[in-house]
Amino acid sequence: MGFVRAMTVPSTAAAVAARFGFTMPLPATGWAAGRAIGADPMPAHVYPATGEPIGAVQICDAAAVDEAVGAARVAFASGAWSRRSVQERIGVLRACAARLRNAGEELAALQMLETGIPFSQAMTGHIPRMAENFEIFADIAATQAGRTFQQVPGYVTHTLRAPVGVAAIFAPWNAPLVLSSMKLAAALAVGCTAVIKPSEYTPFSVLRMVQILEEAGLAPGVVNVVNGPGAITGRALSEHEDVAAIGFIGGTETGKTIMRAAAGRLAKVGLELGGKSANIITASADLEAAVDGSLLAIYTSAGQQCLAGSRIFLERAIAAPFLDRFQARARAIRLGCPLDPSTEMGPIAHPAHLARILDFVAAARAQGAQILAGGERVHAMGPGLWLEPILALAPSNDLTICQEEIFGPFATVQVVETLDEAIARANDSRFGLVGYVWAQDIAAIMRVTDQLETGTVWVNTPLVRDLRAPFGGWKQSGLGRDGREGCIDLFTEEKAVMTPIGPVRMRKLGAP
């Protein structure tokens, strides 16, 4: 049975630009102190749905990075943001959220052109979440308080928090607006200034977002953008002496490189890295809900998300009926124009990544996995980066497809005999970002949530976040946490102040 596809012919990039008022090619410069910066261009980026060139990144070399960090440092030292009252910062953050919501269609269209993420999914998910990042961290700023200790006789000790200075924020290509704004909102809420480095694959939406933040009231220089590849721009930013804290979201190996660069000057680092998340379907699961949730967990955003439920573990009692339903639904996923509201899965984001996913298909076959669905590029839809949703039955957890993060619409299934076996295989991974469990048996739920080696566990639901709660990974999935406490720890330094409550009797050294 073939895959069902939305039959709408993908709109051209030029047509999208005309509809939303963009000028082609799209600008992809850096941005420092309210003006464009950049040097030699990279090869043109293409619209993943059609393969058309849409614009080229202007590389920010070490000198341009120094200019951007310098602008952030001057803005911080001036107190234009860092010493504004909390109430004033809260007001600006809320104005930023409102302005971003109003510009939602423009930003969703830009992100669609650079990533292929369907417009309707951006409007219902990415745009609201981007705005909520600023709203929630405005709330956090409003309620942030120090601590008081009175255990030492005659003294009161209280704590203060101070912004660290310039924060460097590295954002990945899979959800540039959501993920860049999340750490940025946290840094701004506590008074830091920032330099953002988006992925070289997704420079357009982040640049426009920062311009909108300035339109909403942020002074030029408070937030700056540097564009370019990691080997040039990323390295210069992570090694810069005036960067006090680094928030990185992306691949594990790149995260290790950034951590080594920061270690030389003991800069603070928060890393949200890769995942190979286990999705455990127990014998007591609500089968319909488990199928619905498992499809969303792996095929949302074409599987290009670190928290994708890419390893499905099925207790044998429900394996056959689950697989029958899951395969049929996976084959019916509608691929099509990212502007078509009926489209359920867009293209792969860029050519090199499509080639990488197809390499994993070849490895799966070579290692004895059975491809139950998908695995082929969709040439009938034109020159865009279209790929069928993939489902593979793995005979062992040792296969490459069960251990390496594929970051695509590629689900692996393993059938297990017991819940203990499912938990053991789930934990047999160098990653530990999130996990899923589907069960009606409360004892099974409690065992999985207690024993799963992950930073987050979703019970009978996929892909829900409370931005106030900690989010991050175990093992090679990261270091530190997003959320209220984790972000405050990353972007501030804590100071203890001891004050006597009466006269202090001191020894008089050297007195007669």
Side-chain angles (χ1 to χ4, degrees):
M1 180 174 65
F3 283 75
V4 177
R5 312 186 204 293
M7 298 308 293
T8 304
V9 177
S11 297
T12 66
V16 173
R19 173 172 171 177
F20 291 96
F22 302 143
T23 299
M24 299 287 283
L26 297 174
T29 63
W31 190 258
R35 65 184 186 83
I37 59 172
D40 296 333
M42 293 182 66
H45 187 71
V46 301
Y47 178 34
T50 63
E52 300 167 83
I54 57 174
V57 173
Q58 300 295 313
I59 298 174
C60 290
D61 59 11
V65 170
D66 186 63
E67 183 178 350
V69 175
R73 184 67 198 169
V74 168
F76 182 80
S78 74
W81 182 253
S82 59
R83 290 198 292 271
R84 291 186 75 170
S85 72
V86 172
Q87 286 304 116
E88 288 177 318
R89 289 206 303 266
I90 290 169
V92 174
L93 291 175
R94 295 199 185 284
C96 288
R99 195 76 171 238
L100 291 170
R101 286 185 191 276
N102 290 338
E105 288 193 350
E106 176 189 2
L107 291 169
L110 277 172
Q111 183 178 258
M112 181 187 74
L113 285 171
E114 61 190 357
T115 66
I117 293 171
F119 181 80
S120 62
Q121 293 176 24
M123 289 300 296
T124 57
H126 294 236
I127 300 303
R129 166 70 187 282
M130 172 187 60
E132 286 166 8
N133 287 334
F134 289 91
E135 292 165 345
I136 286 175
F137 278 101
D139 291 342
I140 289 172
T143 58
Q144 179 60 24
R147 297 174 292 166
T148 301
F149 305 91
Q150 295 176 284
Q151 286 85 349
V152 176
Y155 287 86
V156 172
T157 301
H158 70 279
T159 63
L160 303 173
R161 288 274 182 181
V164 295
V166 178
I169 296 169
F170 290 77
W173 52 260
N174 60 314
L177 292 172
V178 167
L179 297 178
S180 64
S181 62
M182 179 173 63
K183 288 192 180 293
L184 175 61
L188 291 175
V190 298
C192 290
T193 57
V195 179
I196 300 177
K197 185 209 169 298
S199 166
E200 59 268 35
Y201 296 110
T202 53
F204 310 107
S205 58
V206 172
L207 173 63
R208 182 62 188 130
M209 180 190 75
V210 170
Q211 293 171 335
I212 291 169
L213 297 179
E214 291 186 359
E215 293 168 7
L218 277 182
V222 173
V223 181
N224 308 275
V225 180
V226 290
N227 280 316
I232 299 173
T233 312
R235 179 177 179 176
L237 183 58
S238 61
E239 293 179 348
H240 201 288
E241 290 293 328
D242 285 336
V243 168
I246 299 174
F248 173 82
I249 303 174
T252 296
E253 295 309 311
T254 304
K256 292 177 182 178
T257 299
I258 286 175
M259 190 171 181
R260 284 191 288 268
R265 62 182 189 284
L266 296 180
K268 303 178 78 172
V269 178
L271 305 174
E272 183 188 319
L273 306 177
K276 191 68 180 175
S277 300
N279 182 14
I280 298 173
I281 319 295
T282 71
S284 71
D286 178 328
L287 201 58
E288 182 177 359
V291 170
D292 288 343
S294 298
L295 288 161
L296 288 169
I298 184 56
Y299 297 129
T300 297
S301 296
Q304 298 169 134
Q305 48 187 355
C306 56
L307 40 71
S310 54
R311 292 187 297 153
I312 302 174
F313 296 100
L314 303 175
E315 284 200 83
R316 187 169 297 280
I318 50 83
F322 179 93
L323 281 173
D324 286 345
R325 298 186 192 190
F326 190 93
Q327 286 182 73
R329 293 274 298 282
R331 290 179 179 275
I333 288 174
R334 291 184 290 277
L335 281 68
C337 171
L339 267 178
D340 186 337
S342 70
T343 291
E344 294 177 323
M345 195 176 95
I348 303 304
H350 55 87
H353 191 53
L354 175 60
R356 181 176 182 273
I357 296 170
L358 291 173
D359 285 345
F360 278 106
V361 174
R365 291 191 170 111
Q367 293 177 7
Q370 181 183 357
I371 304 298
L372 301 178
E376 302 293 336
R377 186 169 179 177
V378 185
H379 294 287
M381 296 183 68
L385 307 178
W386 301 98
L387 182 65
E388 297 171 338
I390 303 163
L391 176 65
L393 181 62
S396 164
N397 196 47
D398 296 330
L399 269 64
T400 301
I401 59 171
C402 299
Q403 291 295 323
E404 297 298 323
E405 184 179 35
I406 300 173
F407 216 69
F410 197 137
T412 64
V413 174
Q414 297 178 55
V415 178
V416 297
E417 302 299 332
T418 66
L419 184 58
D420 285 339
E421 184 182 359
I423 295 170
R425 291 197 186 193
N427 289 336
D428 180 20
S429 171
R430 63 191 177 100
F431 297 108
L433 187 58
V434 306
Y436 306 73
V437 58
W438 300 85
Q440 298 300 305
D441 178 357
I442 189 64
I445 291 172
M446 297 303 291
R447 283 172 60 198
V448 172
T449 56
D450 178 62
Q451 297 177 29
L452 212 57
E453 296 171 354
T454 63
T456 296
V457 183
W458 281 306
V459 178
N460 294 330
T461 188
L463 308 176
V464 177
R465 284 285 306 276
D466 185 332
L467 295 176
R468 302 162 192 82
F471 183 86
W474 292 23
K475 299 185 275 191
Q476 294 194 36
S477 283
L479 180 70
R481 292 292 182 268
D482 287 322
R484 179 187 179 114
E485 288 84 3
C487 285
I488 289 171
D489 285 343
L490 177 60
F491 294 121
T492 67
E493 293 287 6
E494 191 170 27
K495 181 186 301 183
V497 180
M498 296 191 69
T499 306
I501 57 178
V504 178
R505 299 181 64 182
M506 293 176 281
R507 289 187 298 141
K508 297 182 180 294
L509 296 179

